[in-house]
Every structure is written in C-alpha cells, then in structure tokens.
C-alpha cells in the first residue's frame, strides 16, 4: 500500500486531488482548518481543526506515518504553508505545494495591485464610494475606519468584527459567473471592486464584469511561494505522484 498522503485542504483543488488519489487507491487524509461553518468535504478521511503550529503538525506526521504532505490550502493561507514547510523538514516528509496561478491583467483591466489588505483599504477611498469587498470574512477590520465608503461585503460566513459603519453583508458561496456578477455590480451601483488575487475560475467572473463596466479593481497580491516543489493544477500534482511512484518501483 502507498504511504498515506495528508492534504492540507479547503480548496476545490484539494478536494479534486483527494478524489483522484482515492480512486487510485492511495490512502488520503484531508485536513480542513474549520474556519468555514459548513465546508465542502472531500472524499476519504477528513480531520477538522488546527495542529498546534509546526511542532504539532510534525508530531501528527510521525504518529500517523504520513509519507507525503500536499499543501493545497488557499493561496493566502501563508501561515499554514510555513508550518507545513517546517514540519516536513523536521520529519523528512515529502512536501508538494498545489497552488493555483494568480490572475493576470488583460486589455481593458484597471487593476491596482497592492501587497496587503491594509494597503487595499488605503487605496480604495480614492477610487470610488460604493465598494464590493470580496476578501473573505477575515480581514474586513482593515476597512472599518473607511467612514466615507459604502461596502457590500460578500463572504461564505459572517465577517469578523470590527466592521465598516456603512455596509451590507451578502452571504454567498461561489462559483459566480460573469452574468451574475454584472447584475450584482449594476444592482448595487458598485464603483470599485476589492479582492485577493486568489486565481482560479470560481470567482474570476467579478474581474470580467468589472472590465466590461470599466470599474477599477484593487487586488492583493499572492504571498511568495516557498522554495519547495510547486505545481499549479491537480493534473500536475497527479503527474508528480506518478513520477515518484515510478521511481520508487
């Protein structure tokens, strides 16, 4: 039997990889942080909750005899990625990072790329009054001082306090297509869109809609990737596993 694989998940890519590996007969454990109230569960064994930092993760890898860790967390879950790198190095466990490619601007895009949510909050005031904020339930506090803006805050779960004084919450889970995003932007008279550059297709529709309406977009750049093996698609991750299988055989 193949050594067990721990997938640090919470993304669509993590769920698809768990399904594919399970179908190949590879024993998989998917770990979810537990920050979403009703997460979409992947196939195979699932654990929910943190590990207690890199030391706790290293202990788990030893106790559960994990052969490979796949970090398929959200592109902005940098702390978990750092913990995975440290724990894998401590235990000698193979590590692969599965990270979707960031979005790139195209003709007609009016993008303002920044390094953090704090920078995004500083930038947004000069671009428009009515803001679609799609950075998730965490980090909204950076926009709390913006009393001159109105925010439509979209997230899967209720955003964390403190919150902007002028805002409406929209609880929704993607995917969001371009037509729906155009309707949303027009209906709420949105003047600027704020997002993390998460990549992928599930939430790309807002960028296309903003381009068609000529709206500015403030995008927070993805954190730098560590110096470890990195792939950008589930197919590339499966190819990485097949190659290691062939070498082991």
């Amino acid at each position: 039997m193949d050594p067990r694989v721990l997938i640090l998940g919470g993304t669509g890519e993590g769920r698809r990889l768990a399904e594919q590996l399970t179908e190949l007969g590879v024993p998989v454990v998917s770990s979810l942080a537990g920050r979403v109230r009703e997460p979409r569960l992947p196939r195979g064994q699932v654990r929910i909750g943190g590990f207690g930092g890199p030391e706790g993760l290293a202990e788990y890898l030893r106790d559960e005899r994990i052969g490979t860790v796949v970090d398929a967390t959200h592109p902005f879950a940098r702390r978990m990625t750092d913990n995975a790198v440290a724990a894998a190095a401590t235990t000698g466990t193979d590590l692969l990072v599965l990270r979707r490619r960031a979005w790139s601007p195209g003709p007609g895009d009016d993008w303002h790329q920044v390094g953090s949510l704090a920078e995004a909050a500083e930038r947004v005031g000069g671009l428009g009054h009515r803001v679609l904020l799609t950075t998730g339930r965490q980090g909204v506090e950076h926009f709390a001082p913006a009393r001159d803006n109105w925010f439509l805050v979209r997230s899967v779960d209720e955003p964390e306090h403190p919150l902007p004084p002028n805002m409406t919450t929209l609880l929704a889970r993607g995917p969001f297509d371009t037509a729906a995003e155009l309707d949303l932007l027009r209906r709420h008279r949105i003047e600027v869109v704020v997002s993390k550059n998460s990549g992928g297709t599930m939430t790309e529709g807002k960028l296309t809609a903003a381009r068609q309406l000529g709206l500015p977009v403030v995008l927070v750049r993805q954190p730098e990737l560590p110096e470890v093996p990195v792939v950008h698609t589930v197919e590339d991750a499966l190819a990485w596993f097949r190659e290691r299988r062939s070498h082991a055989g």
Side-chain angles (χ1 to χ4, degrees):
M1 180 178 290
D2 291 305
R4 300 177 80 197
V5 175
L6 174 65
I7 298 178
L8 304 175
T11 60
E13 291 84 1
R15 289 190 297 274
R16 292 200 301 274
L17 181 61
E19 179 176 355
Q20 294 290 328
L21 290 177
T22 299
E23 289 181 356
L24 293 172
V26 178
V28 173
V29 182
S30 294
S31 177
L32 308 180
R35 292 175 179 167
V36 176
R37 189 172 296 116
E38 296 181 3
R40 293 172 176 168
L41 298 180
R43 289 183 60 182
Q45 184 179 343
V46 178
R47 71 175 300 279
I48 295 179
F51 292 95
E55 296 83 5
L57 178 55
E59 182 179 0
Y60 180 88
L61 298 180
R62 295 191 190 98
D63 291 347
E64 299 297 324
R65 298 180 181 178
I66 301 296
T68 304
V69 177
V70 179
D71 172 20
T73 55
H74 191 275
F76 284 82
R78 184 55 196 262
R79 180 178 297 179
M80 191 67 247
T81 298
D82 289 342
N83 290 350
V85 171
T90 298
T91 59
T93 306
D94 290 334
L95 173 64
L96 176 68
V97 173
L98 171 56
R99 187 73 80 248
R100 67 184 76 131
R101 292 188 186 277
W103 295 311
S104 298
D109 283 320
D110 180 13
W111 286 12
H112 303 256
Q113 302 195 59
V114 296
S116 67
L117 285 173
E119 288 183 52
E122 292 177 0
R123 184 72 64 88
V124 72
L127 294 173
H129 170 65
R130 297 179 67 84
V131 182
L132 173 62
L133 183 60
T134 64
T135 56
R137 70 181 182 89
Q138 296 179 311
V140 180
E141 70 269 11
H142 292 288
F143 299 85
R147 299 184 177 276
D148 295 330
N149 289 92
W150 178 87
F151 293 89
L152 177 62
V153 179
R154 183 171 69 189
S155 61
V156 176
D157 293 320
E158 289 285 348
E160 296 182 352
H161 289 256
L163 300 172
N166 305 308
M167 62 163 282
T168 295
T169 301
L170 174 61
L171 299 184
R173 189 196 299 266
F176 306 105
D177 63 29
T178 300
E181 297 292 60
L182 280 168
D183 177 70
L184 181 75
L185 296 176
R186 287 171 173 148
R187 185 158 28 95
H188 292 278
R189 307 191 309 280
I190 297 300
E191 299 169 352
V192 58
V193 176
V194 180
S195 174
K196 294 176 179 177
N197 192 335
S198 301
T201 59
M202 286 186 63
T203 60
E204 191 175 16
K206 63 192 169 194
L207 302 179
T208 305
R211 181 190 311 129
Q212 292 183 15
L213 296 176
L215 301 182
V217 178
V218 179
L219 274 181
V220 182
R221 300 185 192 92
Q222 287 189 13
E224 293 290 328
L225 287 167
E227 292 295 326
V228 296
V230 177
V231 294
H232 298 289
T233 67
V234 173
E235 292 71 25
D236 287 344
L238 292 171
W240 184 87
F241 274 99
R242 285 194 294 268
E243 183 178 1
R244 297 187 71 79
R245 266 185 167 186
S246 64
H247 289 166

